[in-house]
Amino acid sequence: MDYTLEVSNLSGGYIWNRPVIRELDFSIAPGEMVGLIGLNGAGKSTTIKHILGLLAPQEGFVRVMGLRAADDATRYRGSFAYVPEAPELYEELTIREHLRMSAMAYGLADDRFESRAARLAEQFDMTAKLDAFPQTLSKGMRQKVMIMNAFLVEPPLYVIDEPFLGLDPLGIRSLLDLMVERKNKGASFLISSHILSTLETYCDRYVVLHRGRIAAKGTLGELREFAGAGGEATLDELFYAIVKGGAS
């Protein structure tokens, strides 16, 4: 099977020979949404940085659309879009200019840029803010800009880290609707979030990280079987059982 994202025997971290994550193995198929969950310090951010190509694996590899970052960094990074936990914007650029810069980076044609930017601005109630500068925006609005930049393009993979922080109800609903829309068109998603009830509703499978290793992975049913839980156990209950069981 051809996977959008492959993480194979991945070990790595910030200091060579001192891995933060160890022997991670998981994959995401086209049109699949996978939730990456774990306690603070479990290795989620380190895993994401390896997927983004910001950290080099100490062992194993990461492939997006069959390509490693070391093979062709430009093509590799053009295969995904990323929404970080904390908004990172250029204070001297307007929101429209941020969007145009993303369009240029991904080679998006002008006509598609205009139509997609207008649609996203309307969806996130940001039309009146397109020519504003970031310093005039609330944290939630800044997060909407990051989301709009990611969804302006249509790559095979979206990597989304705690996307709901600071968003108003309209922003959350707009983001979830966009995710479902792109998923139905074949895009893959890796989502890291502590809001497990939302992940339970939208994700197909889950990867549970604990102390830098995969403690469990699979569908909700497979996690229930792994944890020895009943058929009504929620993802929140399963996560607690799995992490508590691996705490010693």
Side-chain angles (χ1 to χ4, degrees):
M1 179 178 183
D2 292 329
Y3 292 103
T4 305
L5 172 67
E6 297 175 82
V7 176
S8 179
N9 194 38
L10 177 65
S11 296
Y14 303 90
I15 301 174
W16 197 256
N17 290 330
R18 295 186 185 179
V20 175
I21 52 175
R22 298 174 183 270
E23 300 173 344
L24 304 189
D25 278 288
F26 66 92
S27 57
I28 305 179
E32 190 174 39
M33 199 174 290
V34 172
L36 181 67
I37 59 178
L39 299 173
N40 293 333
K44 302 186 301 297
S45 293
T46 305
T47 302
I48 288 173
K49 286 180 179 178
H50 278 83
I51 293 170
L52 299 180
L54 300 177
L55 292 174
Q58 296 180 15
E59 291 185 23
F61 63 84
V62 176
R63 285 200 296 234
V64 179
M65 301 300 291
L67 191 68
R68 305 186 195 198
D71 297 332
D72 187 329
T74 300
R75 283 181 56 207
Y76 180 88
R77 293 193 173 104
S79 298
F80 61 80
Y82 172 52
V83 180
E85 176 180 357
E88 299 176 4
L89 300 174
Y90 296 99
E91 297 298 331
E92 66 274 16
L93 298 182
T94 67
I95 306 315
R96 191 187 307 276
E97 288 168 339
H98 276 89
L99 293 169
R100 187 171 292 280
M101 185 170 62
S102 293
M104 292 172 62
Y106 283 86
L108 190 64
D110 285 347
D111 57 341
R112 290 189 177 183
F113 162 72
E114 295 292 348
S115 61
R116 290 182 188 178
R119 181 189 174 203
L120 286 165
E122 182 178 357
Q123 282 181 293
F124 286 94
D125 195 29
M126 291 289 288
T127 302
K129 298 292 184 179
L130 283 175
D131 294 309
F133 290 92
Q135 59 264 36
T136 68
L137 305 182
S138 68
K139 181 181 178 181
M141 287 181 177
R142 286 171 171 250
Q143 185 67 352
K144 287 181 180 180
V145 176
M146 301 302 296
I147 293 167
M148 290 163 61
N149 271 279
F151 283 85
L152 181 70
V153 295
E154 297 185 355
L157 174 67
Y158 292 86
V159 180
I160 305 180
D161 190 7
E162 292 293 352
F164 309 114
L165 295 179
L167 288 183
D168 56 33
L170 173 63
I172 292 173
R173 172 52 54 193
S174 296
L175 173 58
L176 292 172
D177 287 347
L178 268 176
M179 287 162 48
V180 171
E181 176 187 311
R182 297 291 169 87
K183 178 179 183 289
N184 289 339
K185 291 182 178 179
S188 304
F189 287 82
L190 178 68
I191 309 168
S192 176
S193 177
H194 292 302
I195 306 178
L196 301 188
S197 59
T198 300
L199 294 189
E200 180 176 348
T201 300
Y202 287 88
C203 289
D204 302 293
R205 293 189 296 115
Y206 311 90
V207 176
V208 182
L209 286 185
H210 188 54
R211 296 182 175 175
R213 297 182 182 272
I214 293 180
K217 62 182 179 180
T219 64
L220 195 64
E222 289 168 338
L223 292 187
R224 286 169 177 157
E225 183 177 352
F226 177 85
E232 300 299 320
T234 64
L235 182 61
D236 186 79
E237 293 167 337
L238 294 169
F239 174 71
Y240 177 76
I242 291 167
V243 170
K244 183 181 179 182
S248 58

